[in-house]
Amino acid sequence: MSKKKLDDKVLRGLKPGPVAYDVWDSVLKGFAIRVGTTGAKSFFVGTRIRGKYKRITIGQYGEILTLAEARR
């Protein structure tokens, strides 16, 4: 599990690997981005609901969704 202060420079620098990985935001608790093996990047929120972990996808980073929009 990697934690960083997510900003546009960090997001642009995230490269795909052999397996998908998550980078958690060090500022907004539960907020993260998943980088897929193809390079697709999706924002999500991880939280516990009634003791069970849930991952709620917000949307894909890029032309459709900016970092500021995802945080809101």
Side-chain angles (χ1 to χ4, degrees):
M1 178 170 79
S2 174
K3 260 192 176 182
K4 294 184 178 189
K5 181 178 180 187
L6 296 180
D7 60 26
D8 286 320
K9 183 178 178 184
V10 169
L11 295 179
R12 284 191 304 269
L14 297 175
K15 303 296 180 202
V19 295
Y21 64 94
D22 302 332
V23 179
W24 294 87
D25 190 18
S26 62
V27 177
L28 186 58
K29 184 177 179 178
F31 182 67
I33 191 161
R34 170 161 276 219
V35 181
T37 57
T38 63
K41 300 171 187 169
S42 296
F43 295 109
F44 70 92
V45 174
T47 189
R48 290 205 174 274
I49 299 173
R50 295 187 188 124
K52 294 186 179 184
Y53 179 77
K54 299 288 183 182
R55 178 185 298 244
I56 302 163
T57 302
I58 300 169
Q60 192 169 8
Y61 171 69
E63 293 179 20
I64 297 172
L65 188 63
T66 66
L67 175 60
E69 291 169 333
R71 284 185 183 212
R72 273 195 302 259

